[in-house]
């Protein structure tokens, strides 16, 4: 290379430079102050303009040249070189990474230039000392809407899972969602979680498919490989939900066991048992029946055992002549509860949705987040395997979220944002208030209260929910809202719906926040554990009942300070 001097104002910018987004004002000001004080220490590298003349094109050092102009320098030192096109592309990319880090969008643009010049993803990763996963992640940006790319170039990036969801959607879908969630002047940050949720497409996994490949071809199912899934899992999936469910239904019809029957599933993926049937959770008996159904949420074929109640024997009454007659027993009319079972199910779903949205979006302090994780694993819907061979418990599906914290070398390797998002995802996986076996109990309500989940409850002034209230409960709700009751119940419901058309009605029963008495009772019950612990061997107690409130505790070591904390909380 030849050392020369030239006026920085005479230099031409390289149209193929890696850094296309503007640097931060703070970085530029710092560089300008350094050049004004000590000059350009490392000369920019230039090459002759191929179009002729004595002008030069900047290869490396656009920021140094620009800040030299800002510092009013008449001349600066330059290194004259003639790099090859492909090597220059790699040098430009590597040189900029070594200085102020390129934002992910500029990194992606540089990677695409290298790929166009014949570089492979593996060779780019090796040359830049970057993980191959990082290169593949950046290449997802090729599928992102340009206006979204501009926002990401400002440093506002979604996490990897959100980026994958957005990139999987078409440009038209992205444009429609972006109209709703693009940044506003008063709030320049984008809620990528909401953008990704709006673009989420249901995936049916090949590992849940019971049908063979020939049936998949008959239904036109094409499997897509998830490149980011663990290598030891079948990561194929399809977004053609109707075809997947159709193939599953046909396979189930052709392979139904002799004593099995096909039953329907509700919108939550649970089996809809026949009227008066009782589900059997243990080992089915000889007289029990088995129903087979397709879980609409993941498309898997599942079964459930149930039994039907025995028919009541007719009651015989003898008259004075000894003649027996059958007397039908009339059941006493049941009074309707304030909220029906369907209403309670809806409340559980609304509470859970609000809790999950609060966990994903509400500000959560780090110490609070840790406390929520501890609470989550004491939920009634969680079981923790101890590792013993006779342990019948399963595991919460937290593995996919924990995978995000593991690097390619098999060791913990994560960014702080990834850690926080994984913690939120695990809490969403664990905590629930649905009225089924996933209910976490009181601890989910305590967690929801800590993060203000009640603020995320949806408007319950809907015909569907209000029809679940008794007349007394409906009129009480209307009175609290200042809505006069009507003669007809349906008119009262309609008035409530109209009154809250622009507002939000939350029924008191739906509030996530628990009562202080319930919390004190719960704390007091567990505060007594320290007495049990003192009686255990070596300060260790094992809880083995699969139905106890301590399912989530495999062992509990005695700790006087923790026990004292329980007592203080109870008081």
């Amino acid at each position: 290379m030849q050392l020369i001097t030239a006026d920085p104002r005479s230099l031409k910018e390289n149209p193929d430079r890696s850094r296309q987004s503007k640097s931060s004002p703070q970085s530029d000001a710092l560089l300008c102050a350094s050049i004004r004080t000590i000059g350009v220490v490392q000369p920019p590298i230039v090459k002759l303009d191929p179009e002729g003349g004595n002008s030069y094109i900047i290869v490396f050092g656009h920021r140094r040249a620009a800040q030299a102009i800002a510092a009013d320098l008449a001349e600066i030192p330059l290194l004259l070189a003639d790099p090859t096109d492909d090597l220059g592309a790699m040098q430009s990319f590597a040189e900029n990474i070594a200085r102020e880090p390129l934002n992910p969008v500029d990194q992606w643009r540089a990677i695409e230039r290298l790929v166009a010049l014949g570089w492979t993803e593996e060779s780019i990763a090796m040359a830049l000392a970057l993980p191959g996963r990082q290169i593949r992640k950046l290449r997802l940006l090729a599928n992102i809407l340009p206006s979204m790319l501009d926002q990401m170039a400002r440093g506002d990036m979604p996490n990897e899972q959100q980026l994958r969801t957005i990139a999987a959607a078409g440009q038209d879908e992205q444009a429609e969602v972006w109209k709703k969630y693009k940044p506003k002047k008063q709030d320049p940050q984008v809620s990528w979680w909401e953008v990704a949720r709006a673009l989420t497409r249901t995936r049916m996994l090949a590992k849940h498919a019971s049908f063979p490949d020939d049936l998949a071809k008959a239904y036109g199912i094409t499997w897509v490989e998830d490149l980011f899934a663990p290598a030891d899992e079948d990561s194929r999936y399809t977004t053609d939900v109707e075809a997947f469910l159709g193939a599953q239904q046909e396979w189930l019809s052709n392979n139904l066991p002799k004593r099995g029957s096909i039953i329907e599933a509700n919108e939550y993926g649970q089996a809809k048992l026949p009227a008066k049937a009782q589900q059997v959770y243990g080992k089915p008996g000889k007289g029990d029946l088995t129903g087979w159904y397709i879980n609409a949420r993941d498309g898997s074929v599942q079964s459930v055992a149930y039994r039907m109640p025995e028919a009541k024997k007719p009651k015989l009454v003898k008259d004075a002549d000894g003649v027996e007659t059958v007397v039908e027993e009339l059941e006493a009319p049941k009074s309707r509860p304030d909220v029906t079972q369907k209403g309670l199910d809806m409340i559980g779903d609304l509470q859970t949705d609000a809790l999950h949205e609060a966990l994903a979006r509400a500000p959560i302090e780090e110490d609070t987040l840790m406390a929520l994780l501890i609470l989550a694993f004491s939920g009634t819907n969680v079981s923790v395997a101890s590792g013993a061979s006779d342990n019948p418990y399963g595991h919460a599906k937290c593995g996919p979220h924990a995978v995000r914290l593991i690097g390619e070398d098999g060791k913990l390797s994560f960014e702080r944002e990834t850690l926080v998002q994984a913690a939120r995802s695990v809490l969403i996986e664990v905590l629930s208030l649905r009225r089924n076996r996933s209910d976490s109990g009181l601890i989910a309500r305590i967690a929801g209260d800590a993060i203000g989940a009640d603020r995320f409850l949806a408007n319950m002034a809907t015909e569907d929910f209000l029809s679940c209230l008794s007349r007394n409960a409906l009129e009480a709700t209307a009175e609290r809202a200042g809505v006069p009751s009507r003669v007809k119940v349906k008119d009262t419901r309609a008035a409530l719906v109209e009154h809250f058309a622009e507002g939000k009605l939350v029924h008191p029963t739906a509030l996530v926040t628990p009562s202080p008495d319930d919390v004190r009772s719960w704390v007091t019950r567990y505060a007594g554990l320290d007495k049990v612990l003192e009686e255990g061997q070596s300060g260790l107690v094992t809880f083995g009942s699969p139905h106890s409130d301590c399912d989530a505790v495999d062992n509990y070591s005695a700790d006087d300070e923790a026990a004292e904390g329980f007592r203080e909380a109870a008081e």
Side-chain angles (χ1 to χ4, degrees):
M1 291 187 183
Q2 180 183 355
L3 182 63
I4 62 174
T5 58
D7 186 344
R9 296 164 187 81
S10 66
L11 303 179
K12 293 184 178 180
E13 293 187 349
N14 185 353
D16 293 330
R17 67 185 185 276
S18 294
R19 192 185 303 279
Q20 296 186 20
S21 302
K22 292 183 178 180
S23 303
S24 65
Q26 295 83 357
S27 298
D28 288 343
L30 183 62
L31 180 58
C32 181
S34 174
I35 291 175
R36 183 178 285 112
T37 303
I38 61 176
V40 178
V41 177
Q42 184 175 356
I45 299 177
V46 298
K47 64 180 179 179
L48 286 171
D49 188 352
E51 296 180 0
N54 294 324
S55 58
Y56 301 100
I57 295 178
I58 302 173
V59 179
F60 310 138
H62 289 81
R63 291 183 64 239
R64 281 167 279 166
Q67 296 311 313
I69 295 174
D72 294 325
L73 296 186
E75 287 186 336
I76 61 173
L78 303 169
L79 288 174
L80 181 60
D82 186 22
T84 58
D85 289 340
D86 57 337
L87 184 59
M90 175 51 75
Q91 286 178 339
S92 176
F93 190 18
E95 192 264 0
N96 276 283
I97 283 184
R99 296 181 179 279
E100 183 188 3
L102 289 173
N103 66 56
V105 176
D106 282 346
Q107 290 184 39
W108 159 66
R109 288 169 178 154
I111 289 171
E112 294 303 319
R113 284 180 53 216
L114 294 173
V115 171
L117 292 170
W119 291 71
T120 64
E121 292 181 354
E122 292 75 13
S123 60
I124 296 172
M126 185 177 298
L128 299 175
L130 290 174
R133 181 187 181 93
Q134 178 71 6
I135 302 298
R136 292 193 296 272
K137 172 185 173 181
L138 290 171
R139 297 201 71 190
L140 289 173
L141 295 174
N143 304 318
I144 302 298
L145 190 71
S147 53
M148 288 190 189
L149 279 178
D150 293 340
Q151 180 69 16
M152 295 178 189
R154 299 186 185 102
D156 187 7
M157 282 290 295
N159 62 35
E160 181 178 314
Q161 184 61 42
Q162 294 165 349
L163 181 60
R164 289 170 57 194
T165 301
I166 297 170
Q171 295 271 326
D172 293 340
E173 293 179 89
Q174 293 182 37
E176 286 298 320
V177 172
W178 188 243
K179 289 180 182 179
K180 181 177 180 180
Y181 295 108
K182 64 183 180 181
K184 308 296 189 298
K185 289 184 178 180
Q186 62 274 18
D187 186 11
Q189 291 292 113
V190 175
S191 176
W192 293 112
W193 179 83
E194 291 182 330
V195 173
R197 185 181 65 169
L199 292 172
T200 297
R201 299 180 66 185
T202 302
R203 288 184 176 188
M204 293 296 173
L205 304 180
K207 64 182 181 181
H208 291 155
S210 300
F211 52 83
D213 292 338
D214 56 346
L215 195 56
K217 293 180 180 178
Y219 276 84
I221 296 174
T222 302
W223 299 114
V224 180
E225 196 78 27
D226 187 349
L227 300 178
F228 290 85
D232 58 345
E233 292 184 4
D234 185 356
S235 60
R236 296 174 300 155
Y237 69 91
T238 180
T239 55
D240 192 346
V241 177
E242 292 186 4
F244 185 96
L245 296 179
Q248 288 284 72
Q249 189 69 41
E250 182 172 336
W251 179 89
L252 181 58
S253 300
N254 297 333
N255 296 273
L256 192 67
K258 291 183 179 180
R259 292 181 56 83
S261 61
I262 297 178
I263 59 178
E264 295 182 357
N266 59 24
E267 58 182 318
Y268 308 109
Q270 303 164 339
K272 294 174 64 175
L273 298 177
K276 298 183 179 181
Q278 295 180 341
Q279 184 172 345
V280 177
Y281 294 102
K283 186 177 180 180
K286 291 184 178 180
D288 294 336
L289 304 174
T290 303
W292 295 82
Y293 65 98
I294 297 176
N295 187 328
R297 289 196 165 185
D298 60 16
S300 59
V301 175
Q302 299 182 9
S303 64
V304 59
Y306 63 94
R307 63 174 59 104
M308 300 299 296
E310 296 180 1
K312 292 184 178 180
K313 295 181 179 180
K315 184 177 181 180
L316 301 178
V317 177
K318 292 183 179 181
D319 57 15
D321 298 329
V323 179
E324 294 182 339
T325 57
V326 178
V327 178
E328 294 184 0
E329 294 185 356
L330 298 178
E331 295 184 358
K334 297 180 179 179
S335 59
R336 185 181 182 185
D338 286 346
V339 183
T340 63
Q341 293 298 313
K342 178 184 175 182
L344 293 175
D345 288 338
M346 290 178 62
I347 286 174
D349 291 343
L350 292 171
Q351 289 175 328
T352 303
D353 291 342
L355 173 62
H356 288 177
E357 191 166 356
L359 288 169
R361 295 173 51 198
I364 304 178
E365 297 293 336
E366 291 181 5
D367 53 350
T368 303
L369 195 62
M370 294 301 295
L372 294 184
L373 285 171
I374 295 172
L375 283 173
F377 280 95
S378 63
T380 57
N381 63 322
V382 179
S383 59
V384 180
S386 66
S389 59
D390 58 346
N391 191 329
Y393 305 141
H395 295 272
K397 297 178 180 179
C398 300
H401 309 300
V403 165
R404 295 155 59 184
L405 308 180
I406 307 298
E408 292 188 342
D409 58 355
K411 300 181 183 298
L412 281 175
S413 176
F414 54 84
E415 299 173 344
R416 185 171 186 80
E417 176 65 16
T418 302
L419 175 63
V420 173
Q421 290 299 329
R424 288 177 182 260
S425 299
V426 168
L427 287 170
I428 292 174
E429 188 78 34
V430 172
L431 292 176
S432 168
L433 285 167
R434 304 189 193 282
R435 296 183 71 235
N436 51 34
R437 296 178 69 184
S438 72
D439 189 3
S440 304
L442 182 65
I443 62 99
R445 308 188 71 172
I446 297 174
D449 180 36
I451 58 177
D454 285 331
R455 295 186 293 107
F456 295 85
L457 282 169
N459 182 20
M460 301 173 69
T462 64
E463 185 68 26
D464 199 13
F465 175 76
L466 295 178
S467 62
C468 299
L469 302 181
S470 66
R471 185 186 187 98
N472 291 338
L474 182 68
E475 291 177 350
T477 302
E479 183 179 356
R480 285 193 298 269
V483 177
S485 300
R486 277 38 172 195
V487 176
K488 295 183 178 180
V489 172
K490 67 176 183 179
D491 293 337
T492 304
R493 288 199 299 265
L496 277 171
V497 172
E498 182 180 357
H499 180 77
F500 288 99
E502 300 297 331
K504 183 168 72 172
L505 168 66
V506 176
H507 195 272
T509 313
L511 291 175
V512 177
T513 303
S515 70
D517 290 340
D518 289 342
V519 177
R520 279 193 292 268
S521 175
W522 182 79
V523 172
T524 301
R525 184 167 72 252
Y526 285 97
L529 283 176
D530 60 331
K531 297 180 180 179
V532 180
L533 296 175
E534 293 174 359
E535 301 173 2
Q537 296 180 357
S538 302
L540 184 67
V541 177
T542 300
F543 300 90
S545 172
H547 301 292
S548 70
D549 287 340
C550 303
D551 283 352
V553 184
D554 289 310
N555 52 64
Y556 194 111
S557 59
D559 187 316
D560 294 337
E561 184 176 351
E564 185 63 26
F566 269 120
R567 283 191 292 268
E568 291 177 359
E571 293 171 0

